[in-house]
């Protein structure tokens, strides 16, 4: 397997695609992090503004998440402690976590990323179906990613030629498939959050019409990382299935 040309090609493609998409998102974010807003507002202020525009309650300044308001959980806007470009929305705590380069900055890049994470908060509030499916897949996807490859390798190498080995391989492939499904479901979730973000940035007047194309470029660059990850996952799955059927 290690010296299989197809396997090597997939690994090389994975490294190249992963590297290129990461380079693209970083360079795009850096470029538009230098573009200040015509109507100044930090990433945190953009998040709160777009949340209010979406009729979502915001947690108090202490970060305490209180009781539901009109059936909607308050959303906390907080600093992410996970480093640069670690911006994310946590549906468990209903928190929009913004990195340092977004939380305090009044730039096109910061506004785009902040509004995107609010898009995820809106998805949660609206029980957006693809988002619910992705959340449900998290436990099995995490478990599958940690054990699937070992089952496949054990079936392919240790128990090669035995019925038990083939069973192990298919068990590993089944778990790996859960991770692939997670990657595929992630695509509509991310695209929808970006779509919502651009609408919010326009409707709240956060960005001018001249600034919106730059925000779209930032969000497109981020989306490409998910597209690349999904493509690589599908190729790897097809490779494992091919080995199991030989």
């Amino acid at each position: 397997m290690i010296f299989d040309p197809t396997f090597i090609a997939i690994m090389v493609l994975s490294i190249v695609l992963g590297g290129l998409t990461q380079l693209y998102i970083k360079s795009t974010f850096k470029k538009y992090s230098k573009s200040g807003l015509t109507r100044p507002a930090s990433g945190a202020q953009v998040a709160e503004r777009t949340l209010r525009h979406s009729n979502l309650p915001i947690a108090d300044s202490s970060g305490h998440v209180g009781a539901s308001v009109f059936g909607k959980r308050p959303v906390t806007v907080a600093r992410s402690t996970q480093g640069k470009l670690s911006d994310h929305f946590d549906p468990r705590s209903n928190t929009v976590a913004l990195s340092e380069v977004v939380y305090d900055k009044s730039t096109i890049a910061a506004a785009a990323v902040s509004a995107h994470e609010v898009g995820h908060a809106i998805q949660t509030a609206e029980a957006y179906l693809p988002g619910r499916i992705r959340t449900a897949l998290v436990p099995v996807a995490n478990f599958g990613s940690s054990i699937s490859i070992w089952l496949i390798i054990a079936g392919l190498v240790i128990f090669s030629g035995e019925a038990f080995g083939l069973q192990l391989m298919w068990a590993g492939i089944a778990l790996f498939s859960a991770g692939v499904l997670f990657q595929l479901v992630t695509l509509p979730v991310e695209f929808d959050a970006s779509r919502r973000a651009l609408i919010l940035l326009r409707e709240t007047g956060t960005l001018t019409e001249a600034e919106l194309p730059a925000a779209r470029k930032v969000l497109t660059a981020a989306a490409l990382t998910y597209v690349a990850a999904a493509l690589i996952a599908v190729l790897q799955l097809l490779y494992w299935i091919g080995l199991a059927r030989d």
Side-chain angles (χ1 to χ4, degrees):
M1 179 188 72
I2 296 177
F3 301 105
D4 183 345
T6 303
F7 179 77
I8 294 174
I10 291 175
M11 291 301 100
V12 171
L13 180 63
S14 300
I15 294 171
V16 172
L17 271 181
L20 287 176
T21 52
Q22 285 300 314
L23 179 63
Y24 184 53
I25 178 60
K26 289 179 180 178
S27 62
T28 303
F29 185 88
K30 182 178 180 179
K31 177 180 179 180
Y32 293 109
S33 287
K34 297 176 181 178
S35 301
L37 298 181
T38 301
R39 303 158 185 157
S42 69
Q45 290 172 329
V46 170
E48 293 181 355
R49 178 186 300 168
T50 49
L51 284 167
R52 291 193 183 94
H53 181 77
S54 304
N55 295 317
L56 292 182
I58 303 171
D60 60 37
S61 58
S62 68
H64 174 67
V65 178
S68 296
V69 178
F70 302 115
K72 299 177 181 178
R73 293 170 59 201
V75 180
T76 301
V77 178
R79 294 178 187 269
S80 171
T81 59
Q82 299 176 23
K84 189 175 180 180
L85 294 181
S86 59
D87 309 271
H88 64 280
F89 173 71
D90 186 346
R92 296 167 299 180
S93 60
N94 224 35
T95 298
V96 171
L98 304 175
S99 62
E100 291 294 331
V101 293
V102 170
Y103 191 92
D104 293 316
K105 305 301 180 182
S106 177
T107 66
I108 292 177
V113 171
S114 180
H116 175 87
E117 300 309 332
V118 169
H120 286 308
I122 298 171
Q123 289 173 341
T124 297
E126 295 180 353
Y128 179 62
L129 183 58
R132 293 171 61 190
I133 294 173
R134 184 175 72 164
T135 299
L137 284 171
V138 169
V140 66
N142 287 340
F143 177 73
S145 64
S146 65
I147 196 173
S148 59
I149 297 301
W150 297 111
L151 290 177
I152 293 171
I153 292 176
L156 184 65
V157 179
I158 301 176
F159 299 99
S160 179
E162 299 180 22
F164 179 63
L166 186 59
Q167 292 172 354
L168 279 180
M169 285 190 67
W170 281 114
I173 289 171
L175 288 173
F176 190 84
S177 297
V180 175
L181 180 58
F182 177 83
Q183 295 283 1
L184 293 176
V185 172
T186 292
L187 295 180
V189 174
E190 294 299 329
F191 291 149
D192 179 73
S194 291
R195 179 189 64 81
R196 293 172 188 264
L198 291 171
I199 292 173
L200 288 170
L201 291 171
R202 175 183 285 111
E203 289 184 348
T204 58
T206 299
L207 297 186
T208 65
E209 288 298 323
E211 292 170 328
L212 283 170
R216 182 176 287 106
K217 290 181 181 179
V218 173
L219 296 173
T220 298
L224 286 177
T225 62
Y226 295 101
V227 173
L231 175 60
I232 291 167
V234 169
L235 289 176
Q236 290 176 343
L237 176 61
L238 292 176
Y239 175 76
W240 297 130
I241 292 174
L243 280 183
R245 295 181 65 179
D246 284 346

